[in-house]
Amino acid sequence: MRGVRELLDRMSPALLRPVVVPDPTRRVTDVVIAEPGERPSAGTGDLVLGVAVTDGADAAELVRACADLDAAAVLLKPPLAERPAVVAAAERAEIALVEVRSGTAWAQLVWLVRAALAEGSDGDPRGGGRDDLFRLADAVAEVVDAPVTIEDARSQVLAYSARQDMIDPARVSTIMGRGQPADVLAKFRARGTFRQLSKGSATIFVPAQQDGTLPRLVVALRVGGELLGSMWAVVPDEVGEERAAAFAETAPLVALQLLRWRSLADTERQRTAEQVRLLLEGRAGWRTAADELAVRDRPHRVVAIDVASGDAPAEAHRLSTWERLDRGVGQRPLLTEIGTLLYAVVPDDDAGWPALRAALLDDRSPNRPLIAVGGPSPVSGLADSRAEAEELIGLLRGGRVRGPVAVHEQVWHRVVVHRASVAGPEIGALGPLRLLREHDRAQGTDYLSTLHAWLRHPGRPRAAADELRVHPNTFRYRMKRLVEIAPVDLDDPDVRTALLIQLATDRWTRDR
C-alpha cells in the first residue's frame, strides 16, 4: 500500500492534480468506481472514481458519502473538482479530492493506479504482454460495469475480463473458441455492426436479439486509419451517455496496448530492433549485428522519424508506423525505436531513402511525421548519421528548418548557423555590431539589416536594396553613415566573414 501523496507523486501530473489532501500519508488500498444513483461501495482506503458524476451537488454528496465509508480520496473530472461546494465538502470531511485531467480515460486510470499500488511496480505498466491485455480488460469492465472481450480485426479473442458469468451463450462460445463463431458473426454482420466498426470509432449499441443474445456495447480499436480490432461489452440494456462515452475513452489505451502486445509477440522483430540499436549506438558487437542483419558494406543513411500524435498517444502512432513500414518498403528498412523516435536504416540508393520517403508521406496517412535524414555513412559510421538526423529533428521541431522533411546535405548550412548560435551566442557583442545595435535601438534606424544585406549581396547594391525594399541611393547613403557610426574595415575579407557569422547567429537566436 502507498500513501495518497506518494501515489499521486508516482502518477503523471498530466493525469492527476491534487485539490485537497488533508492527510498525505493516508494509505490507499484499491480503486473503485462509484455507480450513478447508488451509495458508493467503497471500503477503507479506497480511491473512488466519480465516472458518471456530472452535477456539482451529486459530486459533493459523493465526497461526503465516501468520507463516511473511510475512503482515502475521491477523483472527479473538471470542472467538478474545483466547484466551491465540492472543495468545501472535502475539506470538512477531511478526505482527499483529486482532479482527473480532461481526456484521461477512466480505464487508463484504474490500470495505472493498480499498477502503482502493486508490490514492486514502478508505476509504468509498459510491459505490453498478454497478461496486460487481460488486466486492461478488467479495468475497462469496471468502467462500463459489464464483462468485456478484446478482439483482433478477425474477431479472434485476445483477452477477456472477469465477471463472464453475466453473459449469454454467444459470449460463452466466443470465449471457449477464442473467437466469435461463424453463426454469431453472421448475426452481427446482418445488423451492420462490422460495417459501422469499419467506418467510425464511436460506441455502437447492438440491441438484444430474439435468440436470447444480450445487448452489446462495441467500440473500434483504431490507431490513425488502421482498424486493429474491437472491444465488446455485454450489457443488460442500453447504457447512459456518460457510461458509453467512458467506454469509448478506453479505446485508444486498449489499441496502444494491443500494438505493444503485437510488437512484443514478434520475437524476430524485437531481435532485429536490438541489433539495429547496436549499429546506431556503435556499441560493442556492432560488426556481428551487421553480419546477422546482412547489411552490405556500402553507404547507408539513418532516418529519424518523429510521428505526430494526432488523436491517439504518440507511441501508438509510432508502433503503427513501424508495423506499416515493416510490411515492406523498397528493400524493407531496418527499424528500431530509441526514446520517442523511430529510426530506419536504409541503403543510400534509389530503393532506400526515396522509397521510404514515399511511404512516410503517403497522403492517406492522417498524421504527417517529421522526418530527418542523416548523411550517407559507412556501416561503421552509422552513429554519426544518427547524430545528424537527431540534430535535424530538433531543428524541425523548433521550426528552424521547414518540414516535414530535412535531408542533411540539403540543409547543412542551417546546421552550421545553429551550431554557431549554440556555441557562442555572446559573439554578437564583439566588434562594431554593439554600436550599430545601440544606435538602431536609440534612433529607430535599421543599420544592422543594411549591413546584413550588403554582406549577403557583395558588390550588388541594387540586389541588397531590393531585399530591404529601399531605393539603391538610400541603401548607399545608409552604408556611408554606417561606417561613420561604427568604423569598420569592410575591405578585409576576414572582417566581412566575422560580421556575417555574427549577424546570421544573431538572427537565428532572435527567431527562436
Side-chain angles (χ1 to χ4, degrees):
M1 292 189 294
R2 304 186 187 280
V4 172
R5 175 60 67 179
E6 181 186 2
L7 180 64
L8 293 176
D9 288 343
R10 294 178 72 86
M11 304 290 286
S12 169
L15 298 178
L16 300 177
R17 181 181 71 85
V19 179
V20 177
V21 185
D23 181 5
T25 63
R26 177 65 194 280
R27 310 305 287 176
V28 177
T29 57
D30 197 2
V31 55
V32 299
I33 293 174
E35 296 298 329
E38 298 180 11
R39 182 175 175 77
S41 58
T44 300
D46 283 344
L47 295 185
V48 182
L49 310 186
V51 173
V53 180
T54 59
D55 179 79
D58 291 341
E61 178 56 34
L62 176 63
V63 168
R64 289 188 287 268
C66 289
D68 292 341
L69 294 169
D70 201 28
V74 175
L75 282 65
L76 300 167
K77 286 200 173 182
L80 295 177
E82 294 182 333
R83 295 278 174 85
V86 179
V87 174
E91 291 174 340
R92 284 194 297 269
E94 296 185 344
I95 184 173
L97 176 64
V98 180
E99 180 181 76
V100 180
R101 303 290 191 180
S102 296
T104 302
W106 289 108
Q108 178 185 28
L109 200 55
V110 172
W111 189 45
L112 290 172
V113 169
R114 286 194 171 148
L117 290 174
E119 184 178 359
S121 171
D122 62 359
D124 184 21
R126 290 172 51 92
R130 187 70 166 267
D131 288 345
D132 283 337
L133 279 176
F134 279 88
R135 285 192 288 269
L136 191 50
D138 284 336
V140 175
E142 291 200 35
V143 169
V144 75
D145 191 25
V148 166
T149 58
I150 299 172
E151 304 178 11
D152 65 15
R154 296 174 299 157
S155 298
Q156 298 300 300
V157 175
L158 302 175
Y160 52 87
S161 69
R163 301 171 55 191
Q164 295 293 337
D165 53 320
M166 304 166 52
I167 53 177
D168 52 28
R171 172 59 64 86
V172 173
S173 300
T174 297
I175 291 177
M176 295 298 291
R178 298 295 187 185
Q180 295 201 41
D183 59 330
V184 175
L185 287 173
K187 293 173 186 176
F188 288 121
R189 284 200 181 95
R191 299 192 66 93
T193 304
F194 289 100
R195 185 169 59 253
Q196 290 176 270
L197 278 175
S198 66
K199 291 182 177 180
S201 57
T203 52
I204 302 166
F205 177 72
V206 183
Q209 301 183 39
Q210 293 182 353
D211 63 357
T213 301
L214 295 173
R216 301 288 199 271
L217 199 61
V218 192
V219 66
L221 302 177
R222 189 188 305 276
V223 173
E226 182 181 2
L227 181 66
L228 304 176
S230 56
M231 191 160 50
W232 300 66
V234 177
V235 293
D237 204 345
E238 190 164 6
V239 301
E241 290 184 8
E242 294 85 1
R243 189 56 58 87
F247 185 54
E249 285 178 354
T250 67
L253 175 66
V254 178
L256 171 57
Q257 192 63 19
L258 179 52
L259 280 172
R260 287 175 180 163
W261 171 73
R262 279 173 24 177
S263 173
L264 291 177
D266 190 342
T267 56
E268 179 60 28
R269 170 172 153 182
Q270 292 300 311
R271 180 170 168 275
T272 298
E274 177 56 31
Q275 291 172 325
V276 175
R277 279 192 287 273
L278 282 175
L279 292 179
L280 297 186
E281 294 169 359
R283 288 187 279 141
W286 70 265
R287 289 186 182 277
T288 301
D291 290 340
E292 292 188 14
L293 293 169
V295 179
R296 295 172 56 188
D297 188 14
R298 56 175 176 167
H300 284 71
R301 292 179 182 270
V302 176
V303 182
I305 306 163
D306 186 8
V307 181
S309 59
D311 58 353
E315 184 187 359
H317 283 296
R318 194 161 58 247
L319 290 172
S320 178
T321 300
W322 189 339
E323 288 199 350
R324 182 165 58 89
L325 297 179
D326 203 39
R327 287 197 289 265
V329 176
Q331 296 181 13
R332 192 179 183 191
L334 298 171
L335 299 164
T336 194
E337 183 181 27
I338 303 176
T340 61
L341 295 178
L342 184 63
Y343 293 84
V345 177
V346 294
D348 184 34
D349 57 27
D350 292 342
W353 158 236
L356 180 62
R357 175 190 175 113
L360 288 170
L361 297 183
D362 187 341
D363 288 339
R364 292 172 295 178
S365 177
N367 296 290
R368 286 293 183 90
L370 297 178
I371 307 162
V373 188
S377 297
V379 177
S380 60
L382 286 178
D384 295 332
S385 184
R386 171 196 170 188
E388 292 171 349
E390 289 176 345
E391 187 172 18
L392 290 180
I393 280 288
L395 297 182
L396 285 167
R397 286 171 172 170
R400 313 312 303 274
V401 173
R402 293 186 178 181
V405 179
V407 180
H408 190 266
E409 55 265 37
Q410 295 174 358
V411 295
W412 66 268
H413 55 292
R414 292 188 173 273
V415 175
V416 170
V417 176
H418 169 68
R419 291 183 182 179
S421 67
V422 172
E426 71 281 356
I427 63 175
L430 302 175
L433 290 193
R434 178 176 54 82
L435 296 174
L436 293 176
R437 187 177 294 108
E438 292 175 354
H439 189 282
D440 282 351
R441 189 178 296 119
Q443 304 297 326
T445 52
D446 199 14
Y447 286 120
L448 285 180
S449 295
T450 300
L451 179 58
H452 193 214
W454 186 85
L455 292 167
R456 281 169 48 83
H457 303 280
R460 300 168 58 209
R462 186 172 295 277
D466 289 344
E467 180 176 298
L468 296 173
R469 297 183 179 180
V470 298
H471 193 276
N473 290 339
T474 301
F475 176 77
R476 293 187 181 93
Y477 172 77
R478 287 185 182 179
M479 286 300 301
K480 180 180 178 181
R481 282 285 297 140
L482 183 152
V483 294
E484 293 174 356
I485 296 169
V488 58
D489 183 7
L490 294 178
D491 292 329
D492 186 330
D494 289 339
V495 170
R496 295 197 299 269
T497 300
L499 288 170
L500 189 55
I501 292 173
Q502 285 181 301
L503 288 166
T505 55
D506 182 61
R507 286 197 171 194
W508 187 273
T509 303
R510 283 189 287 110
D511 290 344
R512 283 180 182 173

